[in-house]
Amino acid sequence: MCIGIPMQVIEPRGDAALCEYRGQTTLIDMMLVGEQVTGTWLLVFLDAAREVISAERAAQIADALEAMRLAMQGETNFDHLFADLVDREPELPEFLRT
């Protein structure tokens, strides 16, 4: 299984970019998304950018990863990390509604 990490471009370098997540910098392959400007958010798998994402989406993914980290440590108080899902009725995907 591969988990996507939201990373922000801090220095474009053509076919690669220096990117940051939680204070750690990594050189990321940009071949699938092309050169991006400083500040762009990316969804990264195995040191390769797969998708350009919004800052809001990056924050949601980072929160979900933090919740997973807390759960793995036995914590149970992480509802605040899923603010977009709390107090909302679950919805079936469109293809299951018919």
Side-chain angles (χ1 to χ4, degrees), residues 7-52:
M7 299 189 84
Q8 191 171 34
V9 175
I10 57 174
E11 184 182 322
R13 297 183 180 177
D15 290 341
L18 193 60
C19 298
E20 187 266 338
Y21 174 68
R22 296 185 73 177
Q24 184 175 359
T25 58
T26 307
L27 190 61
I28 301 299
D29 181 336
M30 302 293 284
M31 294 294 288
L32 293 176
V33 297
E35 189 171 352
Q36 301 294 320
V37 298
T38 299
T40 300
W41 283 96
L42 307 167
L43 189 57
V44 175
F45 294 83
L46 302 172
D47 293 338
R50 303 296 171 101
E51 182 180 347
V52 175

